[in-house]
Amino acid sequence: MIRIVKMTFEPSLVGDFEMLFDQNKHKIRAFEGCTHLELLQDKNTPNIFFTYSFWNHPNNLEAYRQSELFNNVWTATKKLFCAKPEAWSVDQKIILE
């Protein structure tokens, strides 16, 4: 399962988010069931970011979302938003190599 989360930050707080993500990225990636984690930044609107993560099973993502790690990171992240975040859980359908 792939999880995509779109987050729009106050432009003056982008650096705060980047530091927060950098401090926690290895912990998130090491969470049971997480097999991939990326942070993407919009080319035209640099205060818009996306997390792109792969999870072995929806239960793994749900366990992460109920964890102390998620609670701490999300609580700090929410304070930096200027728009409501959006999230999608998707299945990969086609892989081209």
Side-chain angles (χ1 to χ4, degrees):
M1 183 180 84
I2 299 171
R3 181 75 167 178
I4 304 165
V5 180
K6 177 185 177 187
M7 300 168 288
T8 306
F9 296 98
E10 290 290 343
S12 63
L13 300 177
V14 165
D16 294 351
F17 168 69
E18 290 175 314
M19 187 171 18
L20 179 66
F21 186 84
D22 193 55
Q23 292 168 348
N24 290 284
K25 63 187 177 190
H26 295 293
K27 295 177 205 169
I28 297 167
R29 175 56 186 86
F31 202 88
E32 183 178 351
C34 182
T35 61
H36 182 85
L37 176 64
E38 290 182 41
L39 179 64
L40 309 170
Q41 185 177 27
D42 188 89
K43 281 191 166 295
N44 298 313
T45 311
N47 64 314
I48 296 177
F49 287 80
F50 300 84
T51 55
Y52 183 72
S53 56
F54 293 9
W55 296 85
N56 286 334
H57 193 276
N59 290 344
N60 296 125
L61 174 60
E62 189 56 31
Y64 168 66
R65 294 184 71 225
Q66 298 302 318
S67 72
E68 183 177 348
L69 173 60
F70 177 83
N71 186 51
N72 292 339
V73 172
W74 194 245
T75 297
T77 302
K78 286 191 304 189
K79 295 175 184 177
L80 309 174
F81 290 148
C82 69
K84 186 177 178 178
E86 298 178 64
W88 300 268
S89 293
V90 300
D91 291 322
Q92 193 173 50
K93 299 302 279 185
I94 297 174
I95 302 171
L96 301 177
E97 304 215 12

